[in-house]
Amino acid sequence: MAFRTSYGLWFREQPYAWLLLLFLWVFGFAGSLSRFVMAYYQAEITADLGVGRSFLGFTWSTATLLGALCAPLGGWLVDRIGYKKVLLIVAAANLLSVGTVLLFRSPAGFYAGIGILGGIGGLGASVTYVLVTNWFKHHRAKALTILGSAGSLGLAVLTPLLTRMQSLDWSTVYLILLLNAALFLPLILFLVKPSPEGIEEEGQAGRQASSSPAASSALSWRASLAHLRHPVVGVVMFALLTCGFSMGTVEMHMVAIHQTAHVPEAMIASALSLLGLLELVGGLTFSLLIDRMSRTRALAVLYLLRTGAFVLLWIHLPLSPLAFSLLFGATYLGAVPGGILVAGEALHGSGKASGLQTGLFLSIHQLGGVLAALGGGLNYDTLQDYQLLIALNAGFSLAAAAGYAACRKSMSARQRSQATPSPHKEGAV
């Protein structure tokens, strides 16, 4: 009986929804090789191309910034032409990105492939969110977190395997990525189908209903921007910016922060391994909380844990690297899907945001990463440490926690007022 109950709870979604999630997860897992190349082969890439590390950082920042600008455009395209066509565009951009790097092995080719074409791949940032929230009804947060775990788990699993293969170099790994992108493109045609909500049909109906596509587009953008003035959405936007700032700090500067604090190499390696493990375990834990309890309360706890993590990192205790990885890793994957679901509930009451709105939220998140990448370098060049950067992360995370706590109180008060019928309304009825 227990097995039958858990089976029923887990599979209340359509089987195709889980198949689609598995399909996207597998290619996200393989796509983590791009992160591995940038993290592990920096010395080889700079030597082969005759550039410095700052060139790689500039290329990464360009891709992130361009991806942030493309995210709302991709969301708008999802609303207009459906997510399957946008996925095809993104897959083609990824194929051209890796192909350009391999075909033109020069600084210009690397920058064009990774910085520009890789950034254009940001068109797909909102696609998976729209796709999952359309197909999943009861396990949205878990599905989004599982999908988000693909890159983290791929990096954790593939890194020790590939580092043992001494014959591999960065161009060989990019060749594997090229094959992955080439396989992804035709599989989209055969496996991805319109959502049960009929998003593509709705888009066509909307275009037919409007005599002017330009006017319809303008209304779509205007409505989405107007929704950004909603107080709950304002909190979500700040929290997503904070999350991006924190993730940018961790991805670009965490090792440098530990090295500046003279942390032993063995401790740094252990902290990185623990971070990768906790990204998956903690992400699943918070997704369960977000699906089963008040999402604003769960997110307030998440950002409080992040505040504590950065405080421990700031004071540089002997066990701070491990403690930081434990606390931050546990919150790594829950903030973005949780925030987008909260915004969708505030705006539409269903937990679903439009593609354009999702793209705008993801753009704000990515801009936070750009600010952290650039600000961290400026912080170190000016002060020769990262203390100010760490303090900003702690302060922003605490403010985000307070914002979600305030949202929880205001939303609870609104629900109580709606549940209590007004005497005037009773008389009118």
Side-chain angles (χ1 to χ4, degrees):
M1 180 64 70
F3 172 78
R4 184 176 301 175
T5 302
S6 64
Y7 181 90
L9 287 173
W10 186 253
F11 289 97
R12 281 188 295 173
E13 312 290 355
Q14 296 185 41
Y16 175 76
W18 296 108
L19 174 63
L20 192 60
L21 181 65
L22 176 63
F23 166 69
L24 295 172
W25 190 93
V26 167
F27 281 94
F29 182 92
S32 67
L33 288 172
S34 60
R35 289 178 61 187
F36 170 76
V37 172
M38 292 297 288
Y40 189 75
Y41 289 112
Q42 287 193 19
E44 289 85 348
I45 294 173
T46 54
D48 288 350
L49 301 181
V51 296
R53 298 290 181 95
S54 58
F55 172 79
L56 297 184
F58 179 69
T59 301
W60 185 89
S61 298
T62 300
T64 305
L65 179 59
L66 188 57
L69 297 176
C70 286
L73 176 60
W76 175 78
L77 286 173
V78 170
D79 293 335
R80 299 291 296 174
I81 64 177
Y83 52 69
K84 182 172 183 175
K85 294 177 182 177
V86 178
L87 275 176
L88 290 171
I89 295 172
V90 172
N94 290 336
L95 187 62
L96 288 174
S97 171
V98 183
T100 300
V101 172
L102 292 173
L103 186 61
F104 305 99
R105 294 188 55 167
S106 64
F110 190 87
Y111 182 78
I114 302 301
I116 298 178
L117 290 172
I120 292 175
L123 288 170
S126 58
V127 175
T128 52
Y129 280 85
V130 175
L131 189 150
V132 167
T133 55
N134 273 275
W135 275 101
F136 284 83
K137 304 299 181 185
H138 306 285
H139 302 288
R140 283 176 181 158
K142 285 186 284 295
L144 288 171
T145 301
I146 290 171
L147 188 58
S149 71
S152 299
L153 191 60
L155 193 64
V157 171
L158 295 176
T159 297
L161 295 176
L162 295 176
T163 52
R164 294 178 183 178
M165 301 179 183
Q166 300 298 325
S167 60
L168 285 180
D169 58 13
W170 66 273
S171 59
T172 305
V173 180
Y174 269 127
L175 183 58
I176 299 173
L177 278 169
L178 182 68
L179 296 175
N180 179 68
L183 183 61
F184 188 48
L185 192 60
L187 285 178
I188 293 173
L189 290 170
F190 293 106
L191 293 181
V192 178
K193 59 183 180 180
S195 82
E197 300 293 331
I199 186 171
E200 295 186 1
E201 289 76 6
E202 289 175 5
Q204 293 171 0
R207 289 192 295 274
Q208 294 172 356
S210 174
S211 59
S212 171
S216 176
S217 300
L219 289 174
S220 176
W221 280 92
R222 189 177 304 169
S224 295
L225 292 175
H227 284 154
L228 299 183
R229 293 195 293 267
H230 192 288
V232 173
V233 174
V235 171
V236 171
M237 290 167 58
F238 175 78
L240 290 176
L241 183 71
T242 297
C243 179
F245 193 82
S246 298
M247 289 186 174
T249 298
V250 171
E251 291 189 13
M252 292 295 294
H253 305 297
M254 189 180 76
V255 173
I257 289 171
H258 292 331
Q259 291 172 340
T260 304
H262 306 291
V263 175
E265 291 296 324
M267 177 70 80
I268 294 176
S270 299
L272 289 174
S273 298
L274 182 62
L275 180 64
L277 177 63
L278 264 296
E279 283 179 12
L280 178 60
V281 176
L284 291 175
T285 300
F286 266 100
S287 69
L288 289 171
L289 291 176
I290 290 171
D291 273 338
R292 292 181 177 272
M293 65 181 290
S294 164
R295 286 172 177 156
T296 49
R297 179 181 297 173
L299 289 166
V301 172
L302 183 150
Y303 280 96
L304 276 178
L305 289 176
R306 285 195 177 184
T307 304
F310 281 107
V311 169
L312 289 173
L313 191 62
W314 189 82
I315 59 181
H316 298 298
L317 295 174
L319 293 179
S320 285
L322 293 178
F324 176 82
S325 293
L326 178 66
L327 292 176
F328 189 85
T331 68
Y332 194 84
L333 297 175
V336 176
I340 291 176
L341 289 174
V342 167
E345 287 181 346
L347 293 175
H348 311 294
S350 63
K352 296 191 295 183
S354 71
L356 176 57
Q357 289 164 358
T358 301
L360 289 171
F361 294 142
L362 293 176
S363 176
I364 292 170
H365 177 262
Q366 290 173 303
L367 286 174
V370 174
L371 292 175
L374 299 177
L378 180 62
N379 178 191
Y380 185 81
D381 289 342
T382 305
L383 303 174
Q384 299 302 304
D385 62 32
Y386 293 94
Q387 292 298 88
L388 177 59
L389 179 68
I390 300 171
L392 287 174
N393 274 281
F396 291 161
S397 296
L398 183 60
Y404 275 125
C407 286
R408 169 62 182 163
K409 291 182 179 180
S410 64
M411 293 172 72
S412 297
R414 188 182 307 115
Q415 290 172 356
R416 287 194 298 269
S417 65
Q418 292 174 350
T420 304
S422 170
H424 300 288
K425 290 183 179 179
E426 288 182 350
V429 173

